[in-house]
Amino acid sequence: EDQVTQSPEALRLQEGESSSLNCSYTVSGLRGLFWYRQDPGKGPEFLFTLYSAGEEKEKERLKATLTKKESFLHITAPKPEDSATYLCAVQDYTGRRALTFGSGTRLQVQP
Amino acid sequence: NAGVMQNPRHLVRRRGQEARLRCSPVKGHSHVYWYRQLPEEGLKFMVYLQKENIIDESGMPKERFSAEFPKEGPSILRIQQVVRGDSAAYFCASSPYGGAGTGGMNEQFFGPGTRLTVL
């Protein structure tokens, strides 16, 4: 059974204070690892897909990296509008299309 | 471009009533997924459908829950005889691909969700 663990559960940063969110996973053959952002009362918003160890993707202040056991979401010089819950999910190669999600990291960026 | 649309956004039902949740995927997407987010819990997969076919319902409760994605019209998640434990946010997602040999392009795009409250 696929498992995803995200840490920390909650993170409070000052504006401009860079940090990283962690996503550890156990999967029977990784087809893809996905990062989403979720604002309160809204649906998850797709950010990145990573397919193989060593892969990196960037979007504005966010950079996602992948190893064989975990993924990191690096946030550089965050702004208050980056405050949200960040979700990590995996999809395996068994043929199932379901995503297995972690519980998320609640990020709060204070001005 | 319209994204995934879900309605209603909020639904209140009394115990024993039926709830019908609708999802219109991104135009051109033929693969639909339903997830449930219970209070203080993560998103959990329920069911995966293609047009007129249920592909994977391994996450669906065995009783009272059903889903369909007809040839015409939106996908419907139906909950019969709702109980308080069904109160949750229900999200629909769609993707353009789903089968093997698609090159891994299987990002799922989520709708805004339907928040079901059972009184």
Side-chain angles (χ1 to χ4, degrees), chain A residues 31 34 36 38-46 48-49 51 57 87 91 95-103 106, chain B residues 9 33 35 37 42-43 45 48 56 58 91 97-112 115:
Chain A
R31 184 182 183 97
F34 304 83
Y36 288 85
Q38 186 174 25
D39 292 294
K42 297 189 176 181
E45 175 190 346
F46 172 76
F48 303 109
T49 309
Y51 294 105
K57 288 194 176 173
L87 301 171
Q91 188 181 62
R96 295 185 67 234
R97 315 311 291 184
L99 298 180
T100 300
F101 281 87
S103 298
R106 293 189 306 278
Chain B
R9 294 293 309 278
Y33 314 80
Y35 292 82
Q37 190 170 40
L43 280 157
F45 169 78
Y48 161 43
D56 179 358
S58 59
F91 292 97
Y97 305 104
T102 58
M105 295 295 291
N106 192 34
E107 285 85 2
Q108 296 179 17
F109 299 93
F110 284 77
R115 278 142 188 89

Side-chain angles (χ1 to χ4, degrees), chain B residues 67-106:
Chain B
E68 63 177 11
F69 189 16
K71 186 176 181 180
E72 301 290 339
S75 175
I76 305 256
L77 180 67
R78 180 184 180 200
I79 311 172
Q80 295 179 291
Q81 299 177 328
V82 296
V83 301
R84 288 214 174 110
D86 297 333
S87 295
Y90 291 82
F91 292 97
C92 170
S94 72
S95 70
Y97 305 104
T102 58
M105 295 295 291
N106 192 34

